Amino acid sequence: MNGNSTAMAGDLKAKLRLAFNRKLPAASLSKPITASDIRQLVDTRALSLDGRIADLLPLSALDSVDAAHRDIRLRHLLQHAAGFDRSISGDPLWSSDGLHEPKADCMAAADYILRARFDFVPGERVAYSNAGYCLLGKILVEHMDHIPSTDLTMIQSPLGSAGGWFSTLGELHNRLFETLPLRHIDDSVSLPDGSHYDFGWRHWPDTVQGPKWTHFGRQPGLMTVAVTDGRHKLMVAYFDGDPADVDSTALTLARGAWRCMELSE
């Protein structure tokens, strides 16, 4: 290796080290962390997957909430099947006065959907919902003594339990690795392609090649991707940019990265 090549390699290592130690928002990769805290409470029987909102929140949070909303189940929120579709009624996580950039307020979004009209019957189908995960954060606050301090900091941030994790790439990887091994809730409610959501992760059917579990996140100028076999292999990555079709781009990157991981074994 000549002098120029050595210098270039050194520069690349320095840039990689700087990028690895840079704190960045995880965006929606926060959701598997939120779901893992819920799962721990389910495992200890502090919560039930079939528990109703009426039984999971204090009465003060349920003032003026009608009976239909009180019957939303914990599993509905985890699986993005609680009856709220942002493509129909918008995303209450973000609010704007029309003069400034939209601001995030996860707890306000949770309060909003407790009173908003349903877009579909809970449990009938899947529609990805930031606000549904904000409501999970509201439930977790009722059990804050059992939540790691880093997760509580996430929940109390503006993006909250839907997207508030903020850390280095290594710290995010370690926290997501703690969610393994993954497990199913059930696949009774799924997307048209056969995939479904479990504890914050999207699970793909055996007929689809690539990683069995994925999750993506996006904030302006940033995309986050995580893939895992659900047991012991996990890859987390950040990408700069704003692709026109985030889901398609992230899925292509995820499947390409998964092939590289398999070839490296």
Side-chain angles (χ1 to χ4, degrees), residues 130-151:
N130 284 319
Y133 264 72
C134 291
L135 192 48
L136 287 174
K138 198 173 185 72
I139 293 167
L140 285 174
V141 168
E142 298 301 308
H143 302 269
M144 62 173 61
D145 291 343
H146 303 280
I147 301 171
S149 59
T150 51
D151 296 9

Side-chain angles (χ1 to χ4, degrees), residues 50-74 114 118:
D50 289 314
R52 303 182 308 143
I53 293 299
D55 303 320
L56 302 176
L57 292 173
L59 291 176
S60 59
L62 295 168
D63 290 344
S64 74
V65 174
D66 64 32
H69 285 68
R70 289 170 183 254
D71 280 339
I72 296 171
R73 309 288 168 154
L74 187 64
L114 281 173
F118 285 127

Side-chain angles (χ1 to χ4, degrees), residues 37-111:
D37 288 330
I38 293 287
R39 175 178 147 182
Q40 182 175 356
L41 291 169
V42 169
D43 288 346
T44 59
R45 300 190 178 181
L47 295 176
S48 166
L49 287 176
D50 289 314
R52 303 182 308 143
I53 293 299
D55 303 320
L56 302 176
L57 292 173
L59 291 176
S60 59
L62 295 168
D63 290 344
S64 74
V65 174
D66 64 32
H69 285 68
R70 289 170 183 254
D71 280 339
I72 296 171
R73 309 288 168 154
L74 187 64
R75 67 171 68 244
H76 294 154
L77 294 171
L78 288 165
Q79 295 195 284
H80 298 286
F84 309 106
D85 189 336
R86 59 184 177 175
S87 70
I88 296 173
S89 54
D91 190 344
L93 175 59
W94 300 94
S95 63
S96 174
D97 58 10
L99 300 175
H100 304 90
E101 288 294 320
K103 292 184 177 180
D105 189 334
C106 205
M107 284 301 170
D111 291 336

Side-chain angles (χ1 to χ4, degrees), residues 5 13 17 23 32 48 54 59-60 71 91 94-95 109 117 124 126 155 157 177 190 197 207 218 223 259:
S5 298
K13 288 181 180 179
R17 191 178 301 110
K23 288 185 177 289
S48 166
L59 291 176
S60 59
D71 280 339
D91 190 344
W94 300 94
S95 63
R117 292 181 61 183
E124 183 179 72
V126 175
I155 291 168
S157 71
F177 194 83
S190 60
Y197 288 99
T207 54
R218 178 190 173 276
M223 183 170 65
R259 287 194 294 273

Side-chain angles (χ1 to χ4, degrees), residues 16-46:
L16 288 173
R17 191 178 301 110
L18 181 63
F20 191 78
N21 292 319
R22 180 184 172 194
K23 288 185 177 289
L24 290 166
S28 284
L29 294 191
S30 305
K31 290 183 176 70
I33 297 172
T34 296
S36 74
D37 288 330
I38 293 287
R39 175 178 147 182
Q40 182 175 356
L41 291 169
V42 169
D43 288 346
T44 59
R45 300 190 178 181

